[in-house]
Amino acid sequence: MSDTANCREIQCEPYSDQQPGTAGLRKKVKVFRQPHYLESFLEAIFRTVKIAPGSALVVGGDGRYMNRESIPVIAGLAAAHGVGRIITGLDGRLSTPAASHLIRDRQAAGGLLLTASHNPGGPDGDFGLKFNTATGGQAPEATAEAIYAASQSITSYRLCDLPELPLSALGEHDLGDILLEVVDSAAGYAALMETLFDFDRMADWLRQGNEVAFDALHAVTGPYAREIFCRRLGAAETAVLNAEPLPDFGGFHPDPNPVDCAHLVELSRSPNSPALVAASDGDGDRNMILGPGMMVSPCDSIAVMLHHADKLPGYRDGVPGVARSMPTSRAVDMVAEALGIPCFETPTGWRFFCNLLEAGRIGLCGEESFGTGSSHTREKDGLWAVLFWMNLLAELRMGLDDVVRDHWRRYGRHYYQRQDFYIEDADRARALVEALRAGLPGLPGRQLDGTSITAADDFHYRDPVDGSESANQGIRVELADGGRIVYRLSGTGTTGATLRVYLEQYTPADGQLEQQVATALAPLASRAAELGQIEEFTGLKAPTASI
Ligand code: G16
């Protein structure tokens, strides 16, 4: 605790709703704007994680509404709790993977990441805050719960008054009770990428006339993408679309998926599609990969990456293992089996990969929700995934669609789709999941529209590294014809509830590999609707979005 004359104790009332979800605390901006709301949550973090006096903390965010104005508040509380140094990016912006890297690189005590990721921004949008540990990874579930418990009894917090923070000036600034260091995080991140990928080969590939289009969606990745694609690889400035970060993301919903980035799907289907079309999300940890006439399903992406990893400089020795979140398709399991390495199945939430990465048990991991990453950092990494694909295309001298089709011809195809059902009344969504859970013992052997259920459970995870247990992580239903349905509730929304229904149907390599996804999955979708009694519980006849 700092005891200088600039620091004082401020009284407040506890808030009861500061329970972190899948990835930190996410709320509407107007909720975060309530008096003492941000300060109370920060106080709960500082009281729970007890940062050693004088240590450094990485602080930064995706540039959304409330990002910049929150940093002086964080610095004031951090100073009062004895933090010696705040490290941030220019204007207080850091992509999530760059922040994770910076924590590790600078041996900081942890990080406070200001982001609601792919959620909409602006004054009516969302804001978020999450604490990452000294490993660079998100706080584990037990720490997140302890922070929530602490938040419910915060009746005061300590704050130091600091001079105005010079966030737009690179370098070190002495603020009296704390030091502020503003770094060029794009340069540091690009240097890390140069250790993993063959920049000369990619630059050659571009010089040969191959084009890339990367859409930063006016979110955090613009400056990073310009540094890498334009300055270091020689792509034209026009290769990076919507490069300037804006607090409201210029009206974009910064979520790289075919619904919110329909314009990129259209570009990839046009006769003059670039060889690689890609996007990332608000905080730069997600990725969407497209090429002429083809979007790579995120579940296929991690499988293809694993198959080819040893062709790229950072992964020449292969990887010790791989992991996917439970709802992610089992395409990557088949590659792991062929390579003779373990494939771990974890609950949804990138933090569940972190112990495995930290223990050296895995080298690559991925999720259906457009997230992929490797042991180079402890968050998923959007631009890294784009560079992985670009390096791969340059190395294989193949078009993106051929790389994917080759993969299906070797391993078969896992047709995959996630259906989202948004419901205002969260209780109805919870009741649906409860009803499924209650009926689990009776499911194996039940006939379901031409096939039968072979296994059903509520996913329970035991972390192989520290033995911690996570129960009720999603209802899994396996069918005799190779289909799988998973039901779970999203943990990242800020209003109502979103029921996610994940559909997966495997077709062997000698089967029909070129069907439309919706056609291939139509029978499974109707089985999922019947089994989950989706219309009865939600009133919805069709998904709000199919991704
Ligand atoms: C977060 C998590 C991911 C998860 C995703 C969706 O991503 O880090 O692991 O897959 O949310 O979660 P849900 O299905 O609960 O909405 P991000 O990019 O939002 O931080």
Side-chain angles (χ1 to χ4, degrees):
M1 286 275 178
S2 177
D3 268 328
T4 69
N6 298 327
C7 306
R8 59 207 158 97
E9 188 91 15
I10 296 172
Q11 306 301 313
C12 61
E13 291 291 320
Y15 284 96
S16 61
D17 64 343
Q18 298 192 326
Q19 182 162 32
T22 310
L25 183 67
R26 288 185 194 172
K27 298 282 177 192
K28 290 274 170 216
V29 164
K30 52 180 179 285
V31 173
F32 263 104
R33 280 254 159 91
Q34 296 173 93
H36 313 296
Y37 192 90
L38 174 63
E39 292 87 341
S40 298
F41 188 59
L42 288 164
E43 181 72 23
I45 293 173
F46 284 119
R47 284 189 196 176
T48 306
V49 299
K50 298 195 174 53
I51 290 167
S55 45
L57 205 55
V58 169
V59 178
D62 57 19
R64 71 176 58 226
Y65 218 77
M66 274 192 79
N67 184 151
R68 197 178 171 121
E69 72 191 66
S70 299
I71 293 183
V73 177
I74 293 171
L77 265 106
H81 284 271
V83 172
R85 177 184 294 263
I86 295 282
I87 305 172
T88 190
L90 211 49
D91 297 319
R93 284 193 301 266
L94 288 172
S95 81
T96 289
S100 175
H101 170 58
L102 207 49
I103 293 169
R104 294 168 70 75
D105 192 42
R106 297 293 305 273
Q107 297 175 338
L112 288 165
L113 278 58
L114 309 171
T115 174
S117 189
H118 58 289
N119 295 21
D124 298 322
D126 296 342
F127 184 67
L129 180 64
K130 63 180 183 179
F131 176 73
N132 283 28
T133 68
T135 66
Q138 277 176 57
E141 212 176 9
T143 310
E145 283 304 317
I147 292 170
Y148 173 48
S151 75
Q152 297 186 60
S153 56
I154 298 291
T155 52
S156 70
Y157 57 90
R158 276 186 71 75
L159 181 76
C160 295
D161 291 321
L162 302 173
E164 194 177 330
L165 270 57
L167 291 170
S168 303
L170 288 175
E172 191 174 283
H173 311 281
D174 189 347
L175 304 178
D177 287 297
I178 197 165
L179 289 171
L180 173 75
E181 187 181 342
V182 182
V183 300
D184 181 351
S185 98
Y189 176 81
L192 172 67
M193 293 299 112
E194 282 180 329
T195 67
L196 301 171
F197 302 116
D198 188 339
F199 271 51
D200 289 339
R201 192 176 289 279
M202 289 190 282
D204 269 352
W205 182 77
L206 287 168
R207 273 194 296 272
Q208 284 157 16
N210 295 295
E211 284 180 29
V212 59
F214 174 81
D215 196 339
L217 302 172
H218 285 306
V220 78
T221 50
Y224 296 85
R226 281 223 162 118
E227 175 67 31
I228 293 171
F229 294 119
C230 308
R231 290 188 203 110
R232 302 201 183 200
L233 291 171
E237 288 280 309
T238 49
V240 183
L241 316 171
N242 303 309
E244 189 198 346
L246 296 173
D248 65 351
F249 304 126
F252 278 111
H253 183 178
D255 193 355
N257 69 62
V259 175
D260 294 298
C261 289
H263 62 291
L264 296 180
V265 176
E266 204 176 307
L267 174 63
S268 74
R269 288 183 181 152
S270 71
N272 47 3
S273 167
L276 180 61
V277 178
S280 189
D281 67 332
D283 61 331
D285 59 1
R286 296 185 174 208
N287 72 89
M288 179 165 77
I289 305 289
L290 308 105
M294 163 83 70
M295 185 191 108
V296 187
S297 146
C299 302
D300 283 350
S301 182
I302 180 69
V304 172
M305 283 175 162
L306 178 62
H307 179 79
H308 293 290
D310 62 357
K311 301 181 179 69
L312 307 190
Y315 307 91
R316 285 262 188 259
D317 298 333
V319 293
V322 69
R324 62 164 171 82
S325 66
M326 182 274 281
T328 302
S329 93
R330 291 157 300 178
V332 69
D333 301 37
M334 299 186 75
V335 185
E337 197 184 342
L339 295 174
I341 60 169
C343 178
F344 297 88
E345 184 176 39
T346 61
T348 294
W350 197 263
R351 64 182 175 214
F352 291 102
F353 293 137
C354 290
N355 274 352
L356 295 165
L357 288 164
E358 205 58 26
R361 306 271 290 265
I362 60 171
L364 286 175
C365 38
E367 296 185 283
E368 52 70 37
S369 56
F370 294 79
T372 9
S374 90
S375 48
H376 69 284
T377 182
R378 294 293 177 268
E379 291 276 6
K380 55 189 187 270
D381 192 342
L383 273 168
W384 165 87
V386 179
L387 288 169
F388 197 116
W389 271 93
M390 192 170 170
N391 199 160
L392 199 56
L393 298 182
E395 183 69 36
L396 297 175
R397 297 173 187 280
M398 286 166 71
L400 179 140
D401 56 336
D402 285 335
V403 174
V404 174
R405 290 201 162 86
D406 247 30
H407 193 88
W408 295 340
R409 283 194 289 266
R410 186 185 301 265
Y411 291 101
R413 181 172 179 188
H414 290 76
Y415 286 99
Y416 190 85
Q417 189 174 61
R418 190 184 84 206
Q419 299 189 329
D420 290 345
F421 298 80
Y422 177 74
I423 315 155
E424 286 284 344
D425 182 355
D427 286 343
R428 293 169 71 175
R430 281 193 281 268
L432 183 154
V433 174
E434 278 306 320
L436 274 168
R437 188 172 287 138
L440 280 172
L443 289 188
R446 178 174 152 183
Q447 294 300 306
L448 194 61
D449 185 22
T451 184
S452 61
I453 297 174
T454 52
D457 68 355
D458 191 352
F459 183 52
H460 185 105
Y461 182 64
R462 186 169 189 282
D463 187 301
V465 179
D466 66 14
S468 57
E469 313 250 342
S470 303
N472 303 332
Q473 296 296 318
I475 309 286
R476 297 189 287 193
V477 179
E478 301 210 17
L479 304 175
D481 66 355
R484 185 179 76 147
I485 307 166
V486 173
Y487 305 85
R488 63 175 282 279
L489 298 181
S490 162
T492 55
T494 54
T495 57
T498 299
L499 169 72
R500 301 209 193 279
V501 180
Y502 308 85
L503 307 172
E504 174 188 353
Q505 187 78 51
Y506 177 63
T507 298
D510 58 0
Q512 287 188 44
L513 300 175
E514 295 287 345
Q515 292 182 76
Q516 293 294 320
V517 173
T519 311
L521 293 177
L524 191 59
S526 75
R527 287 172 191 143
E530 181 191 330
L531 184 64
Q533 297 177 271
I534 294 176
E535 188 178 346
E536 289 83 338
F537 277 99
T538 69
L540 295 170
K541 289 187 193 306
T544 327
S546 296
I547 287 170

